[in-house]
Amino acid sequence: MDKTPLQDHARALSLPDQHTPPPGYNPPLVCEKIAQERDVMAPMRDGKRLALDIYRPDMKGRFPALLAIAPHNKEFQTPEMARAAQWSQPAWSRMWFGGAEGGDTDYLVTRGYAHVCANLRGAGKSDGGGAPDWDLYDLIEWIARQPWCNGKVGMIGISAFAGSQFDAAVQQPPSLKAIFPYDSMGCFGEWGFRDFYPGGLMHTMVFLLDACNVMHLNRGQPGRLPPAVQKKWKEAMRNPDYLMYPNIFNVLAQKGQTMPWYFEQLLEPFDPEDIVERTEARMKRIRIPFYTGAGWYAYSYKLHLQGSQQWFQGVKGVPKKLLFTGPAHLQRPFHSFHDEILRWYDHWLKGKDTGILKEPPVKYWVMGENRWRYGSDWPLPQTRWTRLYLESWERLRTQGYTPGARDARAGPDTFVQMPPTQTNRISRLRYMTSPLPEDTLVAGPIALYLWASIDQNDTNWIVILKDVGPDVSVRTARPGEVEVPEGLPERELTRGWLKASHRALDPRRSKPWRPWHPLTRKAWKPVKPGQVNEYAIEILSTANLFKAGHRICIDITSIDLPSGLAGAHDVEYAPYHLCSSRTVVHKVFHTEKYPSHLVLPVVPHQPG
């Protein structure tokens, strides 16, 4: 009789986990008791103080420290908060809460690290006022001098906590030896317009985030604004695309007394003219190893997926790694892949050979295949950039348009979208391949080059890449075989966005798989109604195995909608975009003159 324990059978299955990258690492426990100090006030060079909680092994010795710091309330990072949340909530739980992102204190401390959770200046219990320019440098060096610290500091935490890590690396504190900024903030400005609002489409994530904001604010009666700001405010108050949303109108009407950061973005929804040059200068100041990444969740955290790739590609000359996990958000309170985090820090802060630099620098989860793969760079060097051309009757094909042939002169496809004040229906055009003859691995950035006209001076282009199938149907003229069957499984993979007025391209920075739009006020240009323009739409990176018999599909739309009431959403941090307040007629062309096509990163696929 087989007496193997049940859990060993489960382990033998080697079930893949989208948030547990291989090869696995099990750092030993060094203590079981945790010493803690709450609300410690660390002095900065100008006399202001930052509030922090310190958790460390309750034993003799000096230990490396991992700092988690953000504008989020540090009370969300406490062990009692984790206990109250039953230690973890999956992304589909209605009790999932994004701000608990500072790391698993119990796991880190019992394995020989001090875990320091702090608030930035002007947030929570930290002092406000003064200049925060060197706070991260000062705090890291303060931690390194403490009697329980061995002088080596790393950082931990996702989202805003990850943004602070790159900010600290730019300041170059001597005791900061490595960082692990997963779900990093935007590269071109921490909350930069480019990474946060791909294609220049304003969305409502900041509005949703503000419910748990602990930044210090002085809220009073709306008054007169400085002349330059007042001019922009009047312009915004005349914008019907803003005013049809009552929640957005309220932010504007209060003149920055509520949600001041979002108010500023509504008034100036553009990239600064010099942001690229300033960011490139910041990148040159990063001289320590970093391990960044994000998940395949383009439906909400766009800046994390975009920012991690921009940092990885832009910073040169240091050891660096890139990790892409699955499409579900990480559990909260955050404790995912802490074994990988300590595999990184045991190498850099404890001097152990964990093998982490012996594997390829890129590790990514492949949806559809449900397995991990490795790469030597990103985009993957072996990528075969493949064009799929839009065709009438909702088709995608590999052949281009034949000069002089009839299919090169087809009429446009058309959809009409009414605004959300008049409908809950999202209109679309759909284009699909035939069922694929073999498994096809798509991994990397994507672009759609769309030739189109509209009858207004602006619209949103929203492109959704899907895996549809399996589909064993045959389309003929026989009854029942005319249409693609209804009810086929559909799985959304990623999205792309472009505001039509932001269609201008920077040819020097653009690549075929990554069109680069300036997104500045200077480059912004309303559309001439009826004019056919090319819209180069960046679609956020993904990795998916389209299995034989499945279809590659794109939907082209112009709006998405809040799924809650009064402009809210029923899932935290899944924002909708502000769309046109007018009914817009969209015409999509696919001819020799207007060769609309998709650029896909097809990767040679070896099963197993």
Side-chain angles (χ1 to χ4, degrees), residues 375-424:
S376 60
D377 202 355
W378 192 262
L380 300 168
Q382 68 270 34
T383 301
R384 297 172 181 167
W385 301 103
T386 302
R387 292 188 178 191
L388 295 178
Y389 293 86
L390 276 60
E391 191 177 7
S392 60
W393 294 97
E394 300 184 335
R395 292 173 290 178
L396 279 174
R397 70 186 198 190
T398 56
Q399 301 89 355
Y401 305 101
T402 307
R406 291 177 179 175
D407 71 344
R409 301 192 295 270
D413 299 327
T414 304
F415 73 97
V416 180
Q417 182 62 63
M418 292 190 294
T421 50
Q422 294 177 256
T423 185
N424 283 330

Side-chain angles (χ1 to χ4, degrees), residues 150-171:
N150 69 355
K152 296 181 179 181
V153 180
M155 299 181 75
I156 193 170
I158 59 179
S159 190
F161 292 92
S164 295
Q165 296 184 47
F166 277 121
D167 288 343
V170 169
Q171 294 178 16

Side-chain angles (χ1 to χ4, degrees), residues 104-173:
D104 186 337
T105 296
D106 293 341
Y107 182 91
L108 301 170
V109 175
T110 57
R111 284 156 179 80
Y113 286 84
H115 188 206
V116 181
C117 299
N119 270 136
L120 293 170
R121 183 185 299 228
K125 296 177 181 177
S126 292
D127 291 343
D133 298 355
W134 293 99
D135 282 358
L136 295 172
Y137 183 108
D138 292 351
L139 180 57
I140 288 167
E141 293 307 303
W142 181 88
I143 292 171
R145 293 192 301 269
Q146 299 310 298
W148 41 262
C149 184
N150 69 355
K152 296 181 179 181
V153 180
M155 299 181 75
I156 193 170
I158 59 179
S159 190
F161 292 92
S164 295
Q165 296 184 47
F166 277 121
D167 288 343
V170 169
Q171 294 178 16
Q172 300 180 358

Side-chain angles (χ1 to χ4, degrees), residues 18 115 120 156 164 191 233 239 252 305 411 531 538 558 584:
Q18 60 180 323
H115 188 206
L120 293 170
I156 193 170
S164 295
W191 295 89
W233 176 76
N239 185 345
L252 287 171
L305 186 52
Q531 186 176 70
E538 179 185 16
S558 63
V584 183

Side-chain angles (χ1 to χ4, degrees), residues 259-279:
M259 302 186 183
W261 179 45
Y262 196 42
F263 174 76
E264 293 172 4
Q265 290 183 320
L266 290 168
L267 265 57
E268 187 64 16
F270 301 100
D271 239 0
E273 297 287 343
D274 63 344
I275 189 64
V276 177
E277 290 74 15
R278 285 195 282 122
T279 299

Side-chain angles (χ1 to χ4, degrees), residues 298-426:
Y299 52 90
S300 61
Y301 282 128
K302 306 163 187 65
L303 79 166
H304 296 344
L305 186 52
Q306 292 294 79
S308 62
Q309 293 173 88
Q310 306 280 21
W311 283 114
F312 181 80
Q313 293 163 350
V315 177
K316 310 292 184 183
V318 301
K320 58 184 179 179
K321 291 179 70 67
L322 184 64
L323 172 68
F324 292 118
T325 61
H329 289 296
L330 304 181
Q331 297 180 47
R332 299 292 196 277
F334 166 56
H335 68 275
S336 302
F337 51 81
H338 276 42
D339 55 346
E340 184 81 351
I341 294 172
L342 289 198
R343 188 169 170 239
W344 179 251
Y345 281 129
D346 278 1
H347 176 91
W348 294 109
L349 303 186
K350 292 187 176 181
K352 294 183 178 181
D353 183 6
T354 65
I356 198 160
L357 296 186
K358 297 175 183 177
E359 63 186 22
V362 177
K363 193 179 302 186
Y364 61 102
W365 173 260
V366 180
M367 296 178 286
E369 188 179 29
N370 295 332
R371 63 163 291 169
W372 291 94
R373 290 190 174 272
Y374 291 92
S376 60
D377 202 355
W378 192 262
L380 300 168
Q382 68 270 34
T383 301
R384 297 172 181 167
W385 301 103
T386 302
R387 292 188 178 191
L388 295 178
Y389 293 86
L390 276 60
E391 191 177 7
S392 60
W393 294 97
E394 300 184 335
R395 292 173 290 178
L396 279 174
R397 70 186 198 190
T398 56
Q399 301 89 355
Y401 305 101
T402 307
R406 291 177 179 175
D407 71 344
R409 301 192 295 270
D413 299 327
T414 304
F415 73 97
V416 180
Q417 182 62 63
M418 292 190 294
T421 50
Q422 294 177 256
T423 185
N424 283 330
R425 179 171 296 178
I426 298 176

Side-chain angles (χ1 to χ4, degrees), residues 74 78 105 112 158 169 214 247 306 365 407 417 426 433 454 474 504 510 524 539 559 588-589 594 603:
K74 70 178 178 63
T78 60
T105 296
I158 59 179
V214 294
N247 52 334
Q306 292 294 79
W365 173 260
D407 71 344
Q417 182 62 63
I426 298 176
T433 65
I454 57 177
V474 176
S510 291
W524 175 78
I539 301 173
I559 69 171
V588 171
F589 295 81
Y594 303 125
V603 176

